[in-house]
Amino acid sequence: MGKIVDLEEGLELVQKGITKLTNILEGRAEPSFITDECMMLYTTIFNIASRNHPQDHSQLLYDKYRELLEDYLTSEALPALSEKHDEVMLLELVHRWKNYKVMVRWLTHFFFYINRYYIPRRSLTPLAEVGLNCFRQLVYQVLKDKVRDAVISLINRERDGEQVDKTLLKNVLNIFVEIGSGKTHYYETDFEAHMLRETSTYYSQKASIWIVEDSCPDYMFKAEECLKREKDRALHYLHEISEPKLLQKVEDELLSPYTNQLLENETSGCHVLIRDNKVDDLSRMCRLFCKIASGMNLISEIIKQQVTAELTVLMKQAEDAASNKKPEKKDEIGLQELVLVRSVIELNAKYLAFSNDCFQNNSPLRKPLKQIFEVFCNKGFSGNSCVELLATFCDHTLKKGATKNSSEAVEETIEKTKDSSYGDITSLSQTVKLLAYVNDIDLFAEIHRQKLARRLLFNRSAHDDYERSMLKKLKQQFGWQVTWKMEGMVTDMTLAREIQSSFEEYLKSNRQENPGTDLSVTVLTTRFWPGYKSHDLNLPSELIKCVQAFKIFYETTYRRKLTWLYSLGSCIINAKFGERTIELIVTTHQAAVLMLFNSADRLGYSEIKSQLAMTDDEVTRLLHSLSCARYKILNKEPNSQSISRTDYFEFNSEFTEAMKRIKIPPPPVDERNKVIQDVDKGREYAIDAAIVRIMKNRKVIVYQQLVGECMEHLNHVFKPDIKAIKKRIEALITREYLERDQKNPSIFRYLA
């Protein structure tokens, strides 16, 4: 059995030990505890409370523990704190709290037996929690208001620019949390609620001054700096739960009451920042007002008004310029239209940059921008659709030899990208982005394909790599279905150059096959290129030799059938006008007409038609281009501006021209209607295919659902008309791809 300790003697030993601990904590002259002393105190308490003792004094020791802590607080801690104020008091509080925690820790070790065995059996409050309760009741409840006010005072002084002890603030605020055993109830109730009210008052006063003195950018700069500092403040010494509440209070005082006043400021608001391209200020505006419920909606409305106003001005300028055009050129797309397209592309690029860079691609902004540009990009202008304007702009950009004077729409709008082979090359990324708003992308693709064909066939393309770059962007935006034919066309031209090189080598090796005329032939793959009509034409003997030479070479080497498209060909003819020779660049048909006059001085309309084996319409247009246009290579009798079947023609040997080489414009051809017809036919096939795909998958479907899914399938290429879908459904019923339900006509069944 352990030694039986007298109670009075034991309590006296405990009191001496605690007095020594108190002296050490208070910095008084006292030697440190040694191990034997600690063991003696532990053993004494153990023996008093042990069952070996005739009487169990555990409850007495439990009460003694509380008494010792209360005595320390009332005799040492509280007097020292009561006589101090403000920052000095806070320093003392941190010091006293640190000492008190040491006191509780040592006493808990000394009274370990009570804590381990007696307290659990009796379901009493653990010793550490008893220590916390003592400090809360005797110190915290007395000083909490005074401490809170001192802390808030320091925070406000820091807001005003003074340097404060952030570590001290953090330690003091940790006490509010620790006093609640790690929970934030006391922190929130006794400190945070008051601090947030003070924050509201502080920033309300600041805002009322700044809104009068500062411009919108200056006010926003100050507001953002305040938010940053408050966030840093929360990070350095406030509890983590305070950050969102604190920032919300600042926003409520600095931003919410003045949202309209700031954004709609006539001299420095959102309108002015957009007009002056103030990217940094606009970015700050978004960062601040995206947190306000109505902030981004108001910015969105302002931007919508701004874009609409700018587009209206552009449209008015372009309409005024178009109204001054000559009547015969009203339907032509000229410089005014290209300048309009350039300006719209720049405008779209500008606001996309605002949306992406300044407003972090914020969704409330994307929607109005999309709506505005969709309206513009799907309306007509000066007799031309926006699709035609964009296609012409791309054609103008990608043509060889476009200069700044004639191609402002190119040089100042396109992006500059770095290419490893060619250095700085032009890109049409922004044009493709504008195309994203177009409903009839299939119509654009067909027009672009027609113009691409002419650039490639007549050697007008600036570079194949530029064409491929454009097609790559279109493919990324709209899918391979839009570009696969055009990609095949560009590839065809590469292969055609290889075939031409092989043909030239063939002629060198087979001199007897050489027609004596330079010949270049471009072999095209039918499925890639637009559908050109193959007109019959009786070629002059010189051209027949050329055709036969290439035909023998190609059929021998590649063993494929060729269909000759003379309407796409061109010739360079050396024409003698008196003593002077001029090179004439003409079409194959024009060349055939002119070469008839090598063997005749005078020919009538009927003779020319008979020898060429062409239709009246074709002959009329050809003769008009040679005798009634700018360059009168043929003289016509009678001398009028129209062609009739009784006219006679002679070679104009007296024709004069300063240049040594001239190009005779070909007869004008209206390709617009043909393109639209081709697109309409393609749309019929696309609608048919979409309906069949849906029916194969669904088997049975209601009419409204079929129409809806069909539109969803085709929206990425064009916006189908409901009437057109209904018409194609009827056509497919007729062709027995699907049928109506006998009981309910609005239900369709797929016929496998």
Side-chain angles (χ1 to χ4, degrees):
M1 293 180 65
K3 179 182 177 182
I4 298 176
V5 179
D6 181 69
L7 178 61
E8 296 294 332
E9 180 184 354
L11 291 176
E12 186 177 348
L13 289 173
V14 170
Q15 184 62 55
K16 288 181 179 179
I18 301 307
T19 300
K20 180 174 183 178
L21 177 60
T22 300
N23 290 335
I24 293 173
L25 292 175
E26 294 300 313
R28 301 180 185 122
E30 188 78 56
S32 300
F33 275 107
I34 60 175
T35 304
D36 289 345
E37 288 179 302
C38 294
M39 288 301 299
M40 182 270 294
L41 285 171
Y42 172 82
T43 303
T44 299
I45 293 171
F46 172 81
N47 287 331
I48 293 174
S50 171
R51 290 183 179 180
N52 294 330
H53 199 277
Q55 189 175 356
D56 186 354
H57 296 293
S58 295
Q59 183 62 43
L60 186 145
L61 290 172
Y62 182 76
D63 295 337
K64 183 66 176 178
Y65 172 85
R66 177 187 292 274
E67 180 186 328
L68 292 170
L69 291 178
E70 290 176 347
D71 182 62
Y72 172 76
L73 290 173
T74 53
S75 62
E76 301 289 347
L78 202 56
L81 287 167
S82 299
E83 63 187 21
K84 295 179 175 62
H85 303 280
D86 300 327
E87 191 171 354
V88 178
M89 177 199 64
L90 297 181
L91 287 167
E92 184 66 25
L93 175 64
V94 171
H95 172 68
R96 289 295 169 180
W97 174 246
K98 182 180 177 181
N99 283 355
Y100 182 72
K101 288 193 291 184
V102 174
M103 167 74 77
V104 171
R105 189 166 58 250
W106 278 90
L107 285 183
T108 303
H109 288 316
F110 295 155
F111 286 77
F112 179 78
Y113 181 82
I114 299 294
N115 207 38
R116 179 70 179 274
Y117 296 102
Y118 178 70
I119 289 175
R121 288 201 308 268
R122 299 296 181 90
S123 300
L124 299 175
T125 304
L127 296 183
E129 192 172 338
V130 170
L132 199 60
N133 291 338
C134 289
F135 191 90
R136 184 188 302 127
Q137 294 164 4
L138 297 177
V139 178
Y140 176 80
Q141 293 295 342
V142 174
L143 297 174
K144 64 179 182 180
D145 293 344
K146 191 176 177 182
V147 171
R148 177 197 67 219
D149 293 342
V151 170
I152 292 175
S153 175
L154 281 179
I155 292 174
N156 283 334
R157 283 165 55 189
E158 187 194 16
R159 285 171 175 156
D160 289 331
E162 291 187 36
Q163 293 292 326
V164 299
D165 189 343
K166 295 180 180 179
T167 303
L168 171 62
L169 288 172
K170 184 175 181 63
N171 290 334
V172 172
L173 293 176
N174 280 341
I175 295 174
F176 282 89
V177 178
E178 292 175 4
I179 208 72
S181 301
K183 296 180 181 179
T184 58
H185 170 72
Y186 292 101
Y187 173 86
E188 292 180 82
T189 304
D190 297 335
F191 168 74
E192 186 187 67
H194 299 271
M195 182 270 295
L196 293 176
R197 282 197 294 272
E198 285 292 326
T199 299
S200 293
T201 302
Y202 179 88
Y203 282 110
S204 176
Q205 294 171 353
K206 292 291 184 183
S208 63
I209 298 171
W210 295 344
I211 196 65
V212 175
E213 297 178 347
D214 297 325
S215 65
C216 174
D218 292 340
Y219 186 99
M220 290 192 301
F221 178 80
K222 288 182 178 179
E224 187 171 52
E225 287 300 306
C226 289
L227 286 167
K228 287 179 181 177
R229 287 196 293 269
E230 292 300 331
K231 190 169 185 177
D232 290 341
R233 191 164 290 119
L235 181 67
H236 282 108
Y237 51 78
L238 298 179
H239 193 276
E240 60 183 12
I241 65 168
S242 294
E243 181 181 330
K245 302 176 190 176
L246 181 63
L247 297 180
Q248 185 64 52
K249 284 293 181 184
V250 179
E251 291 164 9
D252 288 345
E253 297 302 332
L254 294 183
L255 301 176
S256 296
Y258 306 106
T259 300
N260 289 43
Q261 190 172 346
L262 288 168
L263 296 182
E264 297 177 351
N265 190 305
E266 293 182 358
T267 58
S268 62
C270 188
H271 277 295
V272 178
L273 298 182
I274 293 170
R275 183 197 65 196
D276 297 339
N277 204 27
K278 298 292 186 180
V279 176
D280 291 341
D281 290 329
L282 287 169
S283 299
R284 183 174 295 111
M285 181 177 286
C286 178
R287 290 195 298 270
L288 291 174
F289 289 100
C290 68
K291 304 166 185 175
I292 307 302
S294 61
M296 290 310 297
N297 290 332
L298 183 57
I299 293 174
S300 175
E301 186 60 33
I302 291 173
I303 289 179
K304 186 175 180 179
Q305 294 171 5
Q306 188 83 1
V307 177
T308 303
E310 292 188 50
L311 272 176
T312 302
V313 170
L314 291 176
M315 291 289 290
K316 181 69 168 60
Q317 292 173 350
E319 290 283 1
D320 291 344
S323 64
N324 296 325
K325 291 169 66 174
K326 295 179 180 179
E328 63 272 16
K329 294 187 176 181
K330 283 288 184 182
D331 295 333
E332 293 182 11
I333 297 176
L335 183 61
Q336 293 91 344
E337 289 80 5
L338 294 179
V339 169
L340 170 67
V341 175
R342 176 203 63 190
S343 300
V344 174
I345 289 172
E346 289 175 343
L347 195 65
N348 182 54
K350 171 184 173 182
Y351 284 99
L352 280 179
F354 285 156
S355 177
N356 295 333
D357 302 336
C358 302
F359 302 117
Q360 296 127 33
N361 208 17
N362 195 282
S363 56
L365 294 175
R366 290 199 304 269
K367 187 175 181 180
L369 285 178
K370 184 173 183 288
Q371 290 172 342
I372 294 168
F373 281 100
E374 275 182 348
V375 171
F376 173 83
C377 290
N378 292 288
K379 67 188 294 187
F381 171 77
S382 296
N384 300 288
S385 67
C386 191
V387 167
E388 293 174 282
L389 294 177
L390 288 169
T392 304
F393 178 82
C394 293
D395 180 56
H396 194 70
T397 303
L398 293 165
K399 272 183 180 175
K400 182 186 293 185
T403 63
K404 178 151 185 171
N405 290 333
S406 63
S407 183
E408 270 190 322
V410 179
E411 302 294 339
E412 297 178 5
T413 306
I414 50 183
E415 295 178 340
K416 294 287 184 179
T417 56
K418 194 73 176 174
D419 184 88
S420 57
S421 303
Y422 302 101
D424 284 336
I425 65 172
T426 55
S427 164
L428 291 172
S429 297
Q430 299 299 346
T431 310
V432 176
K433 288 178 181 177
L434 194 64
L435 280 169
Y437 304 118
V438 172
N439 289 336
D440 300 328
I441 196 63
D442 58 337
L443 179 57
F444 169 84
E446 186 59 28
I447 298 174
H448 186 69
R449 187 165 73 107
Q450 295 279 349
K451 293 182 180 296
L452 171 62
R454 299 192 70 81
R455 290 197 300 275
L456 296 176
L457 292 174
F458 298 110
N459 196 27
R460 294 176 185 170
S461 179
H463 202 287
D464 284 356
D465 285 346
Y466 301 172
E467 300 288 359
R468 287 194 175 92
S469 176
M470 177 65 177
L471 295 177
K472 181 180 178 182
K473 297 178 192 308
L474 288 172
K475 187 176 182 179
Q476 290 171 343
Q477 184 75 38
F478 305 109
W480 65 269
Q481 300 94 331
V482 172
T483 60
W484 71 275
K485 289 183 179 180
M486 290 181 272
E487 290 173 324
M489 290 162 62
V490 176
T491 303
D492 263 4
M493 296 306 296
T494 303
L495 298 175
R497 285 190 283 271
E498 295 176 3
I499 293 172
Q500 180 64 25
S501 298
S502 300
F503 176 56
E504 292 170 0
E505 292 296 325
Y506 168 80
L507 292 180
K508 290 178 183 178
S509 304
N510 300 273
R511 294 186 179 278
Q512 71 279 5
E513 300 292 340
N514 197 318
T517 302
D518 291 339
L519 174 66
S520 175
V521 179
T522 304
V523 180
L524 311 178
T525 305
T526 305
R527 67 179 182 275
F528 295 146
W529 295 78
Y532 300 111
K533 289 184 179 179
S534 177
H535 299 289
D536 290 332
L537 175 65
N538 287 338
L539 292 174
S541 58
E542 297 89 341
L543 297 182
I544 291 175
K545 291 179 183 178
C546 295
V547 170
Q548 289 298 326
F550 187 84
K551 187 175 181 181
I552 293 170
F553 153 75
Y554 191 80
E555 291 181 353
T556 303
T557 308
Y558 296 94
R559 302 184 183 281
R560 294 176 185 167
K561 182 182 177 181
L562 291 174
T563 300
W564 293 84
L565 298 174
Y566 301 123
S567 60
L568 298 180
S570 63
C571 299
I572 299 176
I573 295 177
N574 291 323
K576 288 188 68 68
F577 299 95
E579 297 298 322
R580 190 159 181 258
T581 300
I582 299 177
E583 288 186 356
L584 303 179
I585 303 173
V586 293
T587 67
T588 305
H589 290 77
Q590 289 173 327
V593 173
L594 292 176
M595 293 175 76
L596 293 177
F597 290 91
N598 286 337
S599 56
D601 295 329
R602 178 183 170 88
L603 291 169
Y605 176 94
S606 299
E607 293 175 277
I608 294 172
K609 176 186 174 184
S610 175
Q611 292 189 48
L612 295 179
M614 296 174 67
T615 64
D616 283 320
D617 182 59
E618 293 164 352
V619 172
T620 299
R621 291 190 300 106
L622 277 173
L623 292 174
H624 189 280
S625 70
L626 294 169
S627 62
C628 301
R630 176 182 175 184
Y631 301 113
K632 294 179 173 57
I633 309 301
L634 299 179
N635 288 328
K636 187 176 81 70
E637 185 183 325
N639 186 12
S640 63
Q641 290 299 308
S642 61
I643 305 296
S644 68
R645 297 181 183 183
T646 59
D647 290 344
Y648 283 87
F649 301 87
E650 294 179 354
F651 182 70
N652 183 12
S653 59
E654 296 180 359
F655 175 79
T656 58
E657 176 61 41
M659 295 183 292
K660 293 182 179 181
R661 171 183 284 198
I662 60 174
K663 180 177 181 180
I664 310 299
V669 179
D670 183 12
E671 295 181 349
R672 183 179 181 184
N673 289 333
K674 182 179 181 303
V675 170
I676 293 174
Q677 289 172 4
D678 290 344
V679 169
D680 287 342
K681 181 62 69 175
R683 287 182 177 181
E684 289 183 1
Y685 296 144
I687 294 172
D688 286 353
I691 292 172
V692 170
R693 281 197 303 271
I694 294 166
M695 293 303 300
K696 268 189 175 181
N697 183 44
R698 300 288 186 184
K699 304 301 182 185
V700 179
I701 195 170
V702 179
Y703 170 76
Q704 292 295 341
Q705 186 179 358
L706 176 58
V707 171
E709 290 193 23
C710 185
M711 294 185 74
E712 187 177 341
H713 274 246
L714 299 171
N715 265 336
H716 69 288
V717 178
F718 67 95
K719 190 173 182 178
D721 182 55
I722 294 178
K723 291 181 180 179
I725 296 175
K726 185 176 180 180
K727 184 178 179 181
R728 298 319 304 162
I729 290 174
E730 296 298 334
L732 289 171
I733 291 174
T734 303
R735 291 152 58 192
E736 297 183 351
Y737 279 90
L738 56 152
E739 66 177 3
R740 295 182 188 274
D741 185 84
Q742 293 181 356
K743 296 181 179 179
N744 188 346
S746 64
I747 296 177
F748 296 94
R749 299 181 186 279
Y750 178 65
L751 298 177

